[in-house]
Amino acid sequence: MSDAPASDRGARRAARAIDALRRGWPFRIEGADGALDLLAVESARDAALAEFGSADLLISGERAVTLKLTNQRAAATPGPVRLADGAASVAAALAIADPALDLANPLKGPFRTIASGGEAAAATAMTMARHAGLLPAFFVRAAKGEAETACSTADVAALLDPSRLEIAARARLPVAASETAEIVAFRSPEEASDHVALIIGKRDGNPPVVRLHSECLTGDVLGSLKCDCGPQLHAALHAMADAPWGVLLYLRQEGRGIGLVNKLRAYALQDQGYDTVDANLRLGFPVEARDFAIAGQMLALLNIPRIRLMTNNPEKVARLEREGVDVVERIPLALPTNKYNEQYLATKRDRTGHQL
């Protein structure tokens, strides 16, 4: 193990820390400006909290804004906020962290915010929570003693580095849109999520039609009417079949990168009247948490430098171009609405810049 590259060793440490986070075990994050011991609120139990020995809470800047708290400094993007003696029990912490409980617990605080003790470590903790599919909230204390599980901010960056992505397997896959399609699977050494590309048609010297499609279990598999993901997926495949060739990049970034459970929490908030953007912010997440550098690496591994991108989102064009992909054309994808997704699509148009 000592002969492994430093990035591999770091990525393994980060993977172990994320596993501890999911299981409700304490772990440590070391950053350039301080180290923090953390225990995820959502997976914690009171016995583990008693052993952890701190009632301080660390919540995301987005959730802090929802609770009308301010960070330690003015910032366009608020950073994580630490609440001194924020919650003495897991139930009390969940009442602060989970917006589904806001109606049952409307009165919160008063809270006293204090310095995080390590801003880089705090920001990395929020990334790890999102990657684990948990609420971005932790019991926190200054690092003390020996840590059973520890990683650094650099370790987490190594784990999530798209350049570590490799082609794992490929095979012929006849699909309804094309009986000659090929599927290509990608993975990085320490990651559990596999991304895939579906190649439609015969490759030639022209840029292919490319569609970036983020995983949507509810829309792609279950036929949800709350979004347009399923119809977009199938329309894109058939459009590729009509072109000389095309590539569907299927990214395992459910719920715009916040995970399935958190997406369902956002759905519940939408039922209370919040739109997609505000639901994500109330949960404590950014509006857009997907990593499009993954798509850039997939295209590089497929040796596809120039593409015709099928999207209604100009930001996807900009993000891919920042990854070195030459987007020679943006192809819109127009589909009919229904009474369940009209508000969702209006929010995409009015608040996230989609050209619909």
Side-chain angles (χ1 to χ4, degrees):
M1 183 177 293
S2 60
D3 294 331
S7 60
D8 288 358
R9 297 196 300 272
R12 286 198 290 268
R13 286 192 293 268
R16 286 192 288 267
I18 289 176
D19 184 60
L21 185 162
R22 288 190 179 108
R23 295 174 184 271
W25 300 339
F27 65 100
R28 178 171 298 169
I29 305 178
E30 299 164 351
D33 58 347
L36 299 174
D37 289 342
L38 299 138
L39 179 66
V41 167
E42 185 175 347
S43 56
R45 298 293 181 268
D46 282 326
L49 175 59
E51 185 176 349
F52 187 72
S54 174
D56 286 8
L57 286 181
L58 186 71
I59 61 175
S60 73
E62 292 86 355
R63 182 62 179 158
V65 169
T66 294
L67 298 176
K68 296 181 171 54
L69 299 172
T70 57
N71 199 4
Q72 307 307 310
R73 65 176 190 278
T77 302
V81 172
R82 182 169 174 174
L83 309 178
D85 295 320
S89 69
V90 172
L94 282 171
I96 296 168
D98 188 351
L101 303 176
D102 284 349
L103 292 178
N105 300 273
L107 300 178
K108 297 179 173 64
F111 297 114
R112 181 168 63 92
T113 63
I114 60 175
S116 66
E119 292 190 9
T124 295
M126 299 301 141
T127 298
M128 294 172 72
R130 186 173 70 246
H131 194 68
L134 300 183
L135 291 167
F138 297 87
F139 294 101
V140 62
R141 70 185 185 201
K144 66 177 183 180
E146 294 294 322
E148 182 176 344
T149 306
C151 68
S152 69
T153 56
D155 293 340
V156 176
L159 175 69
L160 303 182
D161 183 359
S163 69
R164 296 171 59 78
L165 206 64
E166 301 171 345
I167 293 178
R170 58 198 311 161
R172 188 175 70 86
L173 182 68
V175 296
S178 172
E179 295 182 1
T180 60
E182 180 187 21
I183 189 168
V184 184
F186 303 79
R187 70 163 53 134
S188 57
E190 300 80 16
E191 271 284 77
S193 296
D194 301 328
H195 307 279
V196 299
L198 188 68
I199 303 173
I200 303 288
K202 186 176 181 179
R203 182 170 186 152
D204 60 20
N206 297 309
V209 173
V210 171
R211 170 73 182 169
L212 273 59
H213 190 90
S214 296
E215 177 182 29
C216 179
L217 174 70
T218 51
D220 298 344
V221 179
L222 303 179
S224 168
L225 298 177
K226 285 179 66 71
C227 65
D228 58 348
C229 297
Q232 280 193 336
L233 173 63
H234 296 291
L237 290 175
H238 286 283
M240 291 173 193
D242 293 336
W245 72 299
V247 181
L248 173 78
L249 300 180
Y250 196 87
L251 308 177
R252 302 294 297 279
Q253 300 187 114
E254 178 81 53
R256 289 178 169 263
I258 67 174
L260 176 62
V261 171
N262 286 321
K263 183 179 84 167
L264 298 184
R265 289 177 171 133
Y267 278 2
L269 291 173
Q270 290 168 34
D271 288 341
Q272 295 178 22
Y274 297 102
D275 66 21
T276 310
V277 169
D278 288 334
N280 275 31
L281 294 174
R282 291 192 73 83
L283 282 164
F285 296 110
V287 176
E288 176 60 84
R290 290 174 291 185
D291 184 0
F292 293 114
I294 293 171
Q297 176 67 2
M298 293 167 73
L299 289 169
L301 290 169
L302 293 172
N303 192 25
I304 301 175
R306 302 172 69 241
I307 67 171
R308 301 166 61 208
L309 186 63
M310 181 174 288
T311 183
N312 297 323
N313 185 2
E315 180 62 20
K316 280 187 179 179
V317 176
R319 296 275 290 271
L320 280 180
E321 288 180 335
R322 286 202 294 268
E323 299 304 321
V325 179
D326 183 8
V327 181
V328 301
E329 181 185 2
R330 182 182 73 83
I331 304 172
L333 185 58
L335 293 167
T337 63
N338 65 60
K339 65 180 181 179
Y340 299 102
N341 68 17
E342 285 178 341
Q343 183 60 42
Y344 163 77
L345 294 173
T347 300
K348 290 175 74 171
R349 180 194 64 222
D350 299 337
R351 301 195 64 183
T352 62
H354 285 66
Q355 296 184 0
L356 299 173

